Amino acid sequence: MSSFSVLTGKLVRSASKLRGGGSALPGLVVEKIDPDFIRRTLADLPLGVAVVSGTNGKTTTTKMVVELLESQGLKVFTNRTGSNFTRGVAAALLGEVDWRGRLDADVAVLELDEAHAVHFVKLIQPRYSLLLNVLRDQLDRFGEIDKTTRLLEAIAKATTGTVVLNREDPRVAGIAGSLDKQEVRYFGLHESLRSTFPNDDEMRGSSAEAAAAVLPADVVLERVAETDADFRVDNTVVTTGLKLRGVYNIFNAAAALALARVIAGPQANSEALFTALSNVEPAFGRGESLVVNGQPLELVLVKNPSGFRLGLKSFAAHGYSTMIAINDNYADGRDMSWLWDVDFETLAENGVDMVTGVRAYDMALRLKYDDVPVAAIDPDITGALKKFIASSGSSPMRIFCTYTAMLAVRRELSKITTVEVVS
C-alpha cells in the first residue's frame, strides 16, 4: 500500500498545485487510502517527533525551532505551510518523501492545532512537546478555555520524553501537575515584562494566581527592544539582534530556544543557536513584509483578542495606511464576538483606510464604537485590496487579517509583487 498511496498522493499534490488548490487536499486523499501513512513515515526518525501547540504563535515558533535545529546540523522535517491538521502533516510529508515513502530527516517538528494534535498523538507519540498558551480562540470549536487546556494536557501526557511549558500561563504551567513520567522544562518572562503578555484571566480583569516566580525556566526573555532582545540562558544573559517584529514573536523566540536546546541536547552550540535566531524571518503572514509600488506592506495575522491586542501594540499606527480584513470561515472561527474584547483606540488618530472580508461590516461597527474613522468598506477582498493600494499613495501599508483573509490577500499580492511560495 505504501508505494501506491505515496504515488497517488504525489499525483494529487502536483495536480492541486497546478490548479492553485489547497495544500491539505493531497493529505486528505492519502489519509483515506492509507491511514497508517503518517505513523509509518515518522516512526523511525532518530530524534523522534516534536509537537508545537497552543492558541497563539504556533507557526512562527515552529519555524524558529526548525531553523535553530538546522543550525546544529540536523535535518528537520516540518509542515511549513501552517496547515496544522493531520491532513496538513500528511500533505507536507508527500512533498518530502521519496517514491517508496522514505523520509530523509533526523527529527520532525510539527505545528498542530490543539484539537487535531490529540488525534495525531494517537497515531504516533511525540518525544517532545512545546505548549505555548491557552487563550480564548474559535469559541465555536473549542468552547471555553478549560477545554483547550484539557486538549493540551492530553498532548503532554502522550509525550514520551520532555514537555516544555509556558510558566507565565497558569493553565499551561498547571499541566505539569498531571504528568509523572515526562521531564518538564519551562520558558518564561522577566517580571518587568509580564504585564505586556497578560494571560486570559488577566485580560478579562480577574487575577489567576501563578507560580511563575518560583518555577525555574531554562530560557527567560529579559528585555525587548525594536531590533534586539535579551535572553537569560544557563544564568547568562545573551543579547541578540532580531529580524522578527512584534513583542509576541520575541516571546515565541524564548519558547523556541527552550525546545531547540532540549532536542539538540548537552552538545548544543549556543553561539550557533543565537546566530540562527537573529536571522529568522517572520513566518508568512505573521509580520511578513512585502514591497508594493515601492512601499513596504506588512501582513499581521490576528485571530483572537490577545493576538490582535499584541499586534496593535507592536506596530505603531502613525504614518501607515491601514486595512483590516476579517473572515469567519471554519479556519478563522465562526464566532467573531471576540472583536469586542480588543481596544482599537490606537487606530483612532489616523483611522482605517479599508475594512474588508466576510465580516467587514461587523468590523466597521466595532471600530465606530471606539471612534475610529473608516474611509471605505468593501467585503470583496480582491476589490478592496486594489482600492487600498491605490489610495495609499506613497505611504507604507499594513493589513491586519484573519487566517483565510490573509491567504486571499497573499494570493492577490502574488499577482503584483514577489510573495514567498509556501507549498
Side-chain angles (χ1 to χ4, degrees):
M1 176 65 82
S2 174
S3 297
F4 172 75
S5 61
V6 170
L7 175 60
T8 303
K10 282 182 174 288
L11 289 173
V12 172
R13 185 173 185 271
S14 298
S16 180
K17 288 178 69 176
L18 287 173
R19 298 183 59 186
S23 62
L25 175 60
L28 177 61
V29 171
V30 81
E31 276 189 330
K32 294 293 185 183
I33 63 176
D34 186 2
D36 197 43
F37 171 69
I38 292 177
R39 187 208 62 76
R40 187 177 62 248
T41 307
L42 297 179
D44 296 326
L45 294 179
L47 294 177
V49 174
V51 167
V52 178
S53 196
T55 308
N56 273 3
K58 294 184 289 292
T59 300
T60 299
T61 305
T62 300
K63 185 176 190 291
M64 284 190 278
V65 173
V66 170
E67 295 187 29
L68 292 174
L69 292 176
E70 288 176 341
S71 79
Q72 306 298 298
L74 296 174
K75 295 180 181 178
V76 187
F77 165 74
T78 189
N79 50 333
R80 63 189 302 267
T81 66
S83 181
N84 54 28
F85 295 174
T86 52
R87 67 192 59 167
V89 175
L93 280 170
L94 286 169
E96 297 294 329
V97 297
D98 64 19
W99 293 99
R100 295 183 180 179
R102 294 177 299 196
L103 178 66
D104 182 20
D106 298 306
V107 63
V109 179
L110 305 175
E111 167 198 350
L112 289 173
D113 167 271
E114 299 94 309
H116 284 259
V118 173
H119 298 294
F120 176 87
V121 298
K122 292 177 182 176
L123 294 175
I124 182 166
Q125 291 182 291
R127 187 176 302 178
Y128 312 97
S129 59
L130 169 60
L131 307 181
L132 297 170
N133 41 53
V134 178
L135 297 160
R136 283 177 299 149
D137 181 49
Q138 300 193 34
L139 297 180
D140 53 298
R141 288 184 62 212
F142 295 126
E144 283 305 312
I145 59 176
D146 288 339
K147 178 180 178 181
T148 306
T149 306
R150 291 194 296 273
L151 294 173
L152 295 183
E153 183 178 66
I155 300 168
K157 287 183 174 180
T159 302
T160 61
T162 303
V163 179
V164 180
L165 302 175
N166 178 358
R167 78 171 184 187
E168 311 303 336
D169 187 313
R171 288 182 172 82
V172 173
I175 290 173
S178 65
L179 305 178
D180 49 19
K181 63 179 182 178
Q182 296 84 358
E183 179 186 21
V184 178
R185 302 284 187 91
Y186 297 94
F187 66 96
L189 295 165
H190 187 272
E191 59 184 12
S192 64
L193 294 175
R194 285 179 184 147
S195 62
T196 303
F197 301 89
N199 59 56
D200 196 86
D201 294 299
E202 291 165 342
M203 284 181 58
R204 300 173 71 180
S206 59
S207 55
E209 292 189 13
V214 297
L215 290 172
D218 283 19
V219 179
V220 176
L221 177 60
E222 296 268 323
R223 180 190 63 87
V224 175
E226 187 172 351
T227 59
D228 64 13
D230 292 347
F231 297 90
R232 181 175 292 278
V233 179
D234 293 332
N235 294 317
T236 300
V237 175
V238 179
T239 300
T240 183
L242 294 168
K243 292 182 179 178
L244 294 167
R245 297 189 62 199
V247 292
Y248 49 90
N249 279 335
I250 300 173
F251 189 30
N252 292 338
L257 277 168
L259 179 59
R261 293 176 78 242
V262 167
I263 296 173
Q267 70 275 20
N269 182 325
S270 185
E271 182 178 352
L273 286 174
F274 280 101
T275 298
L277 183 62
S278 70
N279 289 312
V280 175
E281 300 277 359
F284 76 105
R286 279 77 170 176
E288 180 181 21
S289 185
L290 310 172
V291 177
V292 177
N293 294 342
Q295 295 298 323
L297 185 154
E298 293 177 336
L299 296 176
V300 183
L301 177 69
V302 295
K303 64 191 192 76
N304 52 44
S306 174
F308 216 145
R309 285 186 182 190
L310 288 172
L312 291 168
K313 181 182 292 187
S314 297
F315 301 100
H318 181 71
Y320 278 78
S321 296
T322 301
M323 181 169 108
I324 301 178
I326 305 294
N327 279 351
D328 65 350
N329 297 315
Y330 177 77
D332 306 297
R334 306 307 300 272
D335 186 342
M336 288 290 136
S337 62
W338 60 265
L339 291 171
W340 293 87
D341 294 328
V342 182
D343 180 356
F344 293 98
E345 291 180 358
T346 57
L347 298 175
E349 182 179 352
N350 283 8
V352 171
D353 298 271
M354 176 65 73
V355 177
T356 186
V358 178
R359 300 296 285 269
Y361 288 100
D362 299 80
M363 185 69 247
L365 176 64
R366 175 66 191 92
L367 292 171
K368 181 177 177 62
Y369 272 80
D370 273 358
D371 297 319
V372 178
V374 174
I377 305 170
D378 184 349
D380 176 59
I381 290 177
T382 300
L385 181 62
K386 290 178 181 177
K387 295 173 190 173
F388 171 65
I389 292 171
S391 67
S392 296
S394 60
S395 298
M397 294 161 278
R398 182 173 295 126
I399 303 176
F400 296 96
C401 40
T402 56
Y403 182 70
T404 65
M406 179 263 290
L407 295 179
V409 167
R410 289 182 94 253
R411 186 165 54 246
E412 292 305 313
L413 289 172
S414 69
K415 300 174 183 177
I416 59 175
T417 190
T418 302
V419 177
E420 179 189 8
V421 177
V422 181
S423 61

